[in-house]
Amino acid sequence: MERTFAIIKPDAVERKLAGKILDRIEANGFAIRGMKKIKMTREQAEGFYYVHKERPFFNDLCAFMSRSPVIVLCLEKDNAIADWRTLMGATNPANAEAGTIRKDFAINIEENSAHGSDAPETAAFEIPYFFNAFELV
C-alpha cells in the first residue's frame, strides 16, 4: 500500500464541494487515513510551497491557500500517488479529462480545487507537514 497527500483547496471548500470530492475519493478505492479541516496561515502556506518560492506565482499561491479553510487528507491504496493524480486531472482544468475533479470542479488553473503529491519523496514531506503519527489511522 502507498500513501499520498491531498488537499481540497479553498475554492472547492468555499463552494461546498468537499463532500462530492470525498465521495469520488472513496468511490475510487482510496482509504482516508487522515483528514482535517484547517485554515493555513500565510507562513504555513509559504513553508508548504517552499519549492516554488522563486516562481512568479508563489505569492499569489500562498495568498490563495491561506485565504480560507482547506481539507487536508492522507490517502492510501495501491498506486495511490499516480491514481490520485489521475483522479485530480491536469493542473489546468482546460486540459483535464472529463470526469476528473479539476475538469468538473475547478474554476481555473490557479483555483483548481485539489492538490496531490507528485512523488513518494513529496508525499514523505507533505503528510507529516500536516499530520502527526497519532492522527493517521
Side-chain angles (χ1 to χ4, degrees), residues 10 21 53 59 62 68 83-84 92 94 100 102 104 109 116 119:
I21 294 171
K53 67 182 173 211
N59 284 326
C62 293
S68 63
D83 287 359
W84 173 237
N92 185 343
T100 62
R102 289 174 171 159
D104 294 345
I109 193 169

Side-chain angles (χ1 to χ4, degrees), residues 58-90:
F58 179 73
N59 284 326
D60 288 343
L61 175 62
C62 293
F64 164 60
M65 291 301 293
S66 60
R67 82 176 183 203
S68 63
V70 298
I71 296 173
V72 294
L73 302 129
C74 176
L75 306 176
E76 183 179 78
K77 74 178 275 197
D78 288 333
N79 206 38
I81 294 169
D83 287 359
W84 173 237
R85 295 194 66 77
T86 298
L87 182 58
M88 281 191 306

